[in-house]
Amino acid sequence: MARDEINAFLGSGTDYHGKLSFQGAVRIDGNFSGEVESEGTLVVGKDARVEGVLRIGQLVLSGKVTGEVYARDKAVLHKTANLQGDLVTPVLVVEEGAVLEGRVTMSSTGVEAVETETEEIS
């Protein structure tokens, strides 16, 4: 993804806490804790640390994510990626070297159906 396609950039050496909503694409290179909600693309840089619940269109992960990820369209884990938690997505791409610890659900019925089912069980 070209740098000029990114709508917002949360730089390295910074900490963010709360809820993030956006359109298009956002890149995180710092630390984020909270909730992310978007139909767009979330890019997590190599040195980034993200913790919380992510409900996004697409995830491109090179850093570390801890929590629940609901990627409506696709999740891509690069070789430096570390995902600890549950992942729900219809398409998953994992490069050799990526770490994925948790439960993975790949559903053709869509992320929304799985997310609703999980909420009803809890």
Side-chain angles (χ1 to χ4, degrees), residues 2 9 13 18 26 30 36 39 42 48 50-51 53 60 66 70 84-85 90 96 106-107 114 118-119 121:
F9 181 76
V26 167
V36 179
E39 293 186 8
L42 178 66
V50 177
E51 184 174 331
V53 178
V60 178
T66 305
Y70 300 94
Q84 312 257 329
E96 183 176 344
M106 295 178 68
S107 174
V114 174
T118 303
E119 288 172 1
I121 293 172

Side-chain angles (χ1 to χ4, degrees), residues 5-119:
E5 294 177 6
I6 304 280
N7 293 346
F9 181 76
L10 308 179
S12 62
T14 55
D15 293 311
Y16 300 92
H17 304 276
K19 184 172 181 176
L20 174 64
S21 298
F22 63 89
Q23 293 181 354
V26 167
R27 181 180 175 103
I28 298 176
D29 280 330
N31 298 317
F32 180 88
S33 176
E35 189 176 338
V36 179
E37 196 161 325
S38 175
E39 293 186 8
T41 300
L42 178 66
V43 179
V44 179
K46 186 177 75 153
D47 298 321
R49 302 287 176 260
V50 177
E51 184 174 331
V53 178
L54 312 179
R55 291 179 180 90
I56 51 181
Q58 180 171 312
L59 173 68
V60 178
L61 179 61
S62 296
K64 182 172 184 175
V65 169
T66 305
E68 299 175 29
V69 178
Y70 300 94
R72 190 190 74 235
D73 300 323
K74 183 180 190 180
V76 178
L77 279 59
H78 291 293
K79 64 182 178 182
T80 57
N82 185 319
L83 176 58
Q84 312 257 329
D86 295 342
L87 171 63
V88 178
T89 186
V91 177
L92 176 61
V93 178
V94 182
E95 289 184 358
E96 183 176 344
V99 175
L100 175 55
E101 294 182 23
R103 185 175 59 188
V104 177
T105 304
M106 295 178 68
S107 174
S108 60
T109 59
V111 171
E112 291 82 12
V114 174
E115 193 173 2
T116 303
E117 184 177 303
T118 303
E119 288 172 1

